[in-house]
Amino acid sequence: MQKLNCLILEDERLAADVLKDYINDIPGLQLTAVCSDVFAATEALRTQHFDILFVDIHLPKVNGIDFVKSLKGNYHIIFTTAYHQYAVEGFNINATDYLLKPIEFSRFLEAVNRVFDRLKPTAIIENTNTPSERKVHFFNVDKKQVKVYMDDILFVESLKDYVRIHTADKKLTTKFQIGELEELLDKHLFLRVHKSFIINTQQITAFNAAEIEIGEVVIPIGRSYKEAVSDKLKNTSEFKK
């Protein structure tokens, strides 16, 4: 199970320690940063990937709500505060949950489970094919489920915890590790050629021992993949002489 990276933004040490302990007790969560002000949190968000932000509302200089309003990325926000009057404003900016201090573990777990529920499924595979028998996947992109015909995919590029799916007319970025997506793809059609690339073999326009071309894009063949790629291309009917 891939763990969700967590950031705690809290200026009270005891409150931060409670959240740390709770995060460490839940499988699927990983504490990546603890910040006492929005400036440290902004720097952390600039340099690292996070999934869940636990944000105190009463902070020095800039409050937590204004900080969250300034964010441009997509994060699951869980507010923590001793003041219930901010709950409505917190939910109005699409926070996942709002926890009142002192926070009980059971209430914390409920909030985290809301995040897990929102993340399932990250991809939906249709049980039925289209009339033309083309396989279809729906991928979670910017909080929408986007339909992709699998044979339209040219190649897939790894972005660490995300992948970018390239088709002839668009590029889609979705939360998947490339190995997880590889398991979903048709192994007769797709081929892992590098730790960071999966290609559609039907879209190859040229290749040699070191690289593969798909249109104008040149994709390297990884050293550890060379033998498998060579065998696949030699044994694929469209590449036989």
Side-chain angles (χ1 to χ4, degrees):
M1 178 181 179
Q2 181 181 337
K3 292 189 175 183
L4 302 180
N5 291 333
C6 301
L7 177 145
I8 296 172
L9 176 51
E10 171 62 71
D11 63 333
E12 295 178 10
R13 182 174 177 179
L14 290 178
D17 287 342
V18 169
L19 293 174
K20 286 184 197 176
D21 290 340
Y22 287 174
I23 289 170
N24 290 332
D25 285 341
I26 298 179
L29 298 186
Q30 177 170 290
L31 180 60
T32 308
V34 180
C35 304
S36 59
D37 60 62
V38 300
F39 307 106
T42 299
E43 178 63 15
L45 292 174
R46 188 182 68 81
T47 58
Q48 302 175 72
H49 167 73
F50 293 93
D51 301 291
I52 307 176
L53 311 184
F54 295 91
V55 180
D56 185 24
I57 291 178
H58 277 264
L59 294 166
K61 297 188 179 180
V62 181
N63 71 48
I65 289 178
D66 289 338
F67 168 71
V68 169
K69 287 180 178 178
S70 73
L71 298 178
K72 299 186 183 302
N74 294 321
Y75 306 101
H76 298 276
I77 307 296
I78 298 177
F79 283 116
T80 63
T81 183
Y83 304 92
H84 64 81
Q85 63 264 35
Y86 294 104
V88 173
E89 187 173 3
F91 284 117
N92 282 342
I93 60 175
N94 200 32
T96 300
D97 211 336
Y98 183 102
L99 302 179
L100 283 174
K101 300 175 184 177
I103 302 167
E104 297 291 334
F105 180 77
S106 59
R107 184 66 184 86
F108 179 88
L109 181 60
E110 179 183 342
V112 170
N113 281 335
R114 288 187 179 185
V115 175
F116 290 147
D117 288 341
R118 290 186 178 189
L119 292 172
K120 304 189 295 189
T122 52
I124 301 172
I125 305 174
E126 289 191 347
N127 292 324
T128 58
N129 292 325
T130 59
S132 61
E133 299 298 322
R134 297 175 70 196
K135 289 187 177 181
V136 173
H137 285 242
F138 281 82
F139 291 97
N140 189 352
V141 180
D142 295 331
K143 300 180 181 179
K144 296 184 294 185
Q145 297 294 328
V146 179
K147 187 177 187 177
V148 177
Y149 287 101
M150 301 309 291
D151 56 3
D152 282 344
I153 295 176
L154 303 177
F155 63 95
V156 177
E157 173 188 6
S158 173
L159 303 174
K160 194 177 179 181
D161 292 328
Y162 290 76
V163 294
R164 182 172 294 138
I165 298 170
H166 295 254
T167 69
D169 58 353
K170 59 189 173 185
K171 300 176 184 178
L172 303 174
T173 301
T174 187
K175 188 171 177 58
F176 262 104
Q177 290 188 340
I178 194 167
E180 296 173 329
L181 183 55
E182 184 180 10
E183 293 300 315
L184 294 177
L185 297 173
D186 184 345
K187 292 178 174 52
H188 296 291
L189 183 63
F190 292 93
L191 177 64
R192 183 84 171 265
V193 299
H194 188 277
K195 66 179 182 179
S196 298
F197 292 98
I198 300 172
I199 65 162
N200 182 339
T201 58
Q202 293 184 349
Q203 301 292 343
I204 295 174
T205 52
F207 69 94
N208 57 34
E211 57 192 25
I212 290 172
E213 294 179 19
I214 296 181
E216 297 181 354
V217 178
V218 178
I219 296 172
I221 299 174
R223 183 184 308 170
S224 61
Y225 295 88
K226 284 184 182 294
E227 184 176 350
V229 170
S230 176
D231 290 345
K232 174 72 173 180
L233 297 185
K234 286 179 181 177
N235 294 322
T236 301
S237 60
E238 58 261 41
F239 297 111
K240 290 181 178 179
K241 293 183 178 181

